[in-house]
Amino acid sequence: MKEIVVLSGKGGTGKTSITAALASVAENAVFCDNDVDAADLHLIFSPKVKESNVFLGAWLAEIDPEKCTGCGICADKCRFEAIHPNEEGLFSVNEFQCEGCRLCEKVCPADAISSMQSDKNHWFISETRFGTLVHARMGPGEENSGKLVAEVRKNARTIAEAEGRDYIINDGPPGIGCAVISSLTGADAALLVIEPTKSGLHDAARLLELIQNFGIKVYALVNKFDINEEVTTEIEEFLTTKDVPLLAKIPFDKTVVEAMTVGKNIVEYAPDNSISNKMKKVWEKVSERVY
């Protein structure tokens, strides 16, 4: 079994559209949405949730007003300035400032402070027309996206092994943050989706440096290459210097948008479209090289 993660250096490159298109051409795969902060693969997959699970997130402190003596030691020691006095001279925690370090628990002489983990995050195992999808939803302002990605991937691997699947295909998050690092750890290959803009090239270069630190195979494609062919040429030259195979240049086509408006990927919606044919060839190249 091989695990492939689709990544981009920035948002808006079409990474999820590419992943969704691969779902129609890949065989015997489990799919995983690692973009837990802003998951959207489910919008095309239309999943039927079979299993819903709570993911315990960051620790948050809470002060019992019945026990608080108003001594202020906790506020003095809190380096994040998350503890504030109220009109009665007692103290409370601002949950948006609290970093969950739990120091306040240890220094409170009245044992008035306790902490508990947030339960606003969830991950799901769902059935789709493409196969099993493991995905998640983080609550607003929640942390530990990297740990949630690890949990999602761990369960996708368990399912893939139990069902005898050949591939896990991950729709990764954009950028180079902790969720991306969590997506790359233990993966077999990365497919880098690049848009032909200066910022797209700059951010792809940063992401490529990160990927190569993991020592895994990496391939690339340029999406909407014809909106700026000059930058596309720069991208091709850059990939050549980095010895990264360019598997395809995908043209801009409003048919992709039409497909998404009816909840389908381009291969489903227009199987004879040139992009559909390119995506079939991309998968052939990836599946041949990843083993």
Side-chain angles (χ1 to χ4, degrees), residues 113-129:
I113 304 176
S114 59
S115 296
M116 62 185 301
Q117 286 180 278
S118 169
D119 60 358
K120 297 176 183 178
N121 309 305
H122 297 81
W123 62 271
F124 313 95
I125 299 173
S126 298
E127 289 182 350
T128 79
R129 61 191 184 279

Side-chain angles (χ1 to χ4, degrees), residues 160-171:
E161 290 173 348
E163 297 180 352
R165 302 298 180 183
D166 295 325
Y167 302 98
I168 299 173
I169 300 177
N170 298 282
D171 182 20

Side-chain angles (χ1 to χ4, degrees), residues 1-4 27-30 160-161 163-169 188 283 290-291:
M1 180 180 61
K2 297 296 182 181
E3 190 167 1
I4 301 160
E27 296 181 354
N28 204 29
V30 168
E161 290 173 348
E163 297 180 352
R165 302 298 180 183
D166 295 325
Y167 302 98
I168 299 173
I169 300 177
D188 297 290
W283 177 248
V290 76
Y291 274 96

Side-chain angles (χ1 to χ4, degrees), residues 49 51-58 116-125 135-139 142 144 147-148 151-152 154-155:
V49 176
E51 184 180 324
S52 176
N53 302 274
V54 173
F55 174 79
L56 295 177
M116 62 185 301
Q117 286 180 278
S118 169
D119 60 358
K120 297 176 183 178
N121 309 305
H122 297 81
W123 62 271
F124 313 95
I125 299 173
H135 52 122
R137 181 178 66 244
M138 292 195 75
E142 290 294 300
N144 291 337
K147 290 184 178 180
L148 182 52
E151 183 70 20
V152 167
K154 180 184 73 175
N155 284 278

Side-chain angles (χ1 to χ4, degrees), residues 67-80:
K67 294 182 177 180
C68 180
T69 63
C71 68
I73 294 175
C74 57
D76 290 338
K77 298 295 184 181
C78 180
R79 62 177 297 185
F80 304 106

Side-chain angles (χ1 to χ4, degrees), residues 209-237:
E209 183 178 356
L210 174 65
I211 295 171
Q212 290 179 328
N213 284 331
F214 283 82
I216 66 176
K217 298 175 182 178
V218 57
Y219 312 103
L221 62 81
V222 181
N223 194 31
K224 299 171 285 189
F225 82 93
D226 47 351
I227 66 172
N228 192 330
E229 297 196 44
E230 182 179 343
V231 175
T232 295
T233 300
E234 289 184 45
I235 293 171
E236 291 182 81
E237 293 172 351

